């Protein structure tokens, strides 16, 4: 590609990022795009949290399944969900994007529209980034989310104790169900429910859990309930019993408990709370359901309990994203 073309492409992209960063910055970004580095100003007494995610075409999204808006939304949703899981407030996002030769301008605009749409919901400025020509035919993105939380107060995976109750926000399995229907070509942009295309990170819930001191441990459901619950149990050194009848299944996954247990990318929060904690049924407008109990065991074990009280092992199944 000619250098001039490349430069023009880059300038247009940087302009897109600049426009995308027009979100309210709330004074947390002292200096955004336009110098060698961004300068962030976390609220005083806060610690800075950083999370980074790949968003690779053919692995995390497909241009024939996901719209450009969906790819942009999903790109930033994952990091926002990680911040939510620790009770953090987002400060800024940074995006590096490599585009193959000939990527349609329309796609790039749509991607930024999707990304900005979710970023604006939480007033997250895009405070920097880089662009390059992709060395392959795939779109490659890498996003960094920076957040902050009152020093020493971040929700962690490691605080659950035997006797604590296990809660989940929202419902599970919807994202995997929608992905399955995209796969078989029955996906549709009609209707309101798009947990796969447009997941909703639970930042307000995470912040409320932290503020009210309700959770002893927390993690977000990115790989699937069984996988993420295992991470929480291992970090906390406890075992858990999950009551299957209590697990809230997303309407798109109705009757498919396996998707609720092992489907990923729901971006709900799983948390532990002391049995005496006054956990409301809704937090920040999102349903909260108690689905299990943490128990003491020699080594971490997850058990599922069916309606008749029969106990069987719950193995971390993890949703293999059948995108590539
Ligand atoms: Mg996570």
């Amino acid at each position: 590609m000619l250098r001039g073309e490349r430069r023009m492409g880059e300038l247009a992209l940087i302009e897109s990022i600049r426009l995308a960063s027009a979100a309210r910055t709330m004074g947390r970004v002292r200096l955004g795009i336009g110098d060698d580095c961004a300068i962030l100003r976390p609220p005083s007494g806060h610690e800075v949290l950083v999370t980074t995610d790949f968003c690779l075409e053919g692995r995390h999204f497909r241009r024939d399944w996901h719209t450009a808006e969906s790819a942009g939304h999903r790109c930033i949703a994952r990091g926002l969900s990680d911040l939510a899981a620790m009770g953090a407030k987002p400060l800024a996002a940074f995006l590096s994007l490599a585009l193959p030769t000939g990527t349609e301008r329309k796609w790039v605009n749509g991607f930024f529209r999707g990304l900005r749409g979710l970023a604006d919901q939480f007033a997250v400025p895009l405070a920097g980034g880089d662009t390059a020509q992709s060395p392959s035919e795939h779109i490659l993105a890498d996003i960094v989310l920076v957040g902050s939380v009152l020093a020493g107060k971040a929700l962690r995976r490691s605080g659950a104790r035997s006797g604590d109750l296990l809660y989940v926000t929202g419902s599970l399995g919807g994202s995997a169900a929608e992905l399955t229907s995209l796969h078989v070509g029955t996906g549709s942009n009609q209707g309101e429910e798009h947990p796969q295309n447009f997941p909703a990170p639970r930042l307000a819930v995470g912040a409320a859990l932290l503020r009210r001191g309700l959770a002893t441990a927390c993690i977000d459901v990115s790989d699937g309930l069984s996988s993420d619950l295992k991470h929480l149990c291992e970090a906390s050194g406890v075992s858990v019993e999950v009551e299957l009848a209590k697990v809230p299944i997303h309407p798109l996954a109705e009757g498919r408990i396996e998707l609720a247990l092992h489907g990923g990318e729901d971006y709900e929060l799983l948390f532990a709370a002391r049995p005496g904690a006054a956990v409301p049924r809704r937090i920040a407008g999102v349903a909260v359901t108690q689905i299990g109990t943490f128990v003491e065991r020699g080594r971490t074990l997850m058990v599922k309990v069916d309606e008749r009280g029969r106990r069987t092992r719950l193995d971390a199944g993890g949703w293999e994203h059948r995108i590539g």
Side-chain angles (χ1 to χ4, degrees):
M1 187 192 261
L2 292 173
R3 184 173 165 76
E5 281 176 358
R6 197 178 87 87
R7 282 187 57 82
M8 270 183 62
E10 276 202 16
L11 285 174
L13 262 178
I14 289 168
E15 185 55 24
S16 295
I17 293 178
R18 213 188 275 279
L19 286 172
S21 70
R24 288 163 290 147
T25 61
M26 319 275 281
R28 291 164 306 184
V29 178
R30 285 188 58 206
L31 192 58
I33 292 162
D35 213 312
D36 291 310
C37 296
I39 304 177
L40 305 182
R41 182 193 285 152
S44 72
H46 279 226
E47 289 172 326
V48 170
L49 292 83
V50 182
T51 177
T52 169
D53 288 294
F54 273 132
C55 180
L56 310 178
E57 182 182 5
R59 175 71 192 145
H60 303 101
F61 71 93
R62 281 178 57 151
R63 269 186 272 182
D64 55 343
W65 291 0
H66 300 91
T67 61
E69 283 83 355
S70 165
H73 179 111
R74 286 163 50 78
C75 181
I76 193 169
R78 197 176 179 88
L80 288 174
S81 180
D82 282 332
L83 291 179
M86 299 195 77
K89 229 180 156 151
L91 278 177
F94 299 85
L95 175 74
S96 292
L97 185 63
L99 297 172
T101 313
T103 308
E104 281 184 30
R105 186 72 205 160
K106 204 176 131 199
W107 191 92
V108 179
N109 289 341
F111 178 86
F112 277 105
R113 212 166 30 248
L115 190 144
R116 194 175 58 223
L118 191 57
D120 282 355
Q121 262 184 50
F122 300 106
V124 190
L126 196 52
D130 195 12
T131 59
Q133 189 187 332
S134 174
S136 74
E137 75 276 23
H138 291 125
I139 294 166
L140 311 171
D142 181 52
I143 193 160
V144 176
L145 265 295
V146 180
S148 80
V149 81
L150 207 56
K153 295 291 185 192
L155 303 175
R156 309 268 292 263
R157 299 175 177 184
S158 52
R161 297 289 170 261
S162 167
D164 283 1
L165 302 179
L166 168 66
Y167 294 84
V168 68
T169 62
S171 59
L172 300 170
S175 184
E178 189 179 18
L179 185 65
T180 305
S181 62
L182 288 169
H183 189 175
V184 298
T186 57
S188 146
N189 290 322
Q190 306 300 310
E192 310 232 315
E193 294 280 347
H194 293 291
Q196 163 67 211
N197 278 312
F198 299 101
R202 301 303 191 190
L203 283 152
V205 181
L209 290 175
L210 184 144
R211 199 172 53 245
R212 301 185 203 174
L214 285 174
T216 54
C218 188
I219 190 170
D220 67 315
V221 183
S222 53
D223 297 332
L225 172 90
S226 58
S227 297
D228 293 310
L229 182 55
K230 188 175 181 205
H231 295 317
L232 192 149
C233 285
E234 285 176 345
S236 293
V238 289
S239 294
V240 71
E241 292 190 352
V242 176
E243 291 174 68
L244 294 180
K246 290 186 178 176
V247 174
I249 302 177
H250 192 282
L252 292 178
E254 202 184 335
R256 288 182 281 175
I257 184 74
E258 292 304 309
L259 288 184
L261 291 179
H262 308 298
E265 301 186 313
D266 286 308
Y267 299 120
E268 298 293 349
L269 297 183
L270 270 179
F271 65 93
R274 298 301 302 158
V279 178
R281 285 168 178 269
R282 296 187 86 78
I283 298 177
V286 181
V288 173
T289 313
Q290 191 247 320
I291 59 169
T293 310
F294 291 94
V295 293
E296 199 71 60
R297 286 268 162 74
R299 61 183 180 83
T300 290
L301 182 70
M302 299 194 296
V303 169
K304 50 184 201 259
V305 187
D306 71 12
E307 290 83 343
R308 297 189 205 163
R310 285 181 303 208
R311 287 166 158 75
T312 48
R313 236 174 97 140
L314 172 61
D315 289 315
W319 173 255
E320 265 300 310
H321 305 173
R322 298 281 178 216
I323 285 181

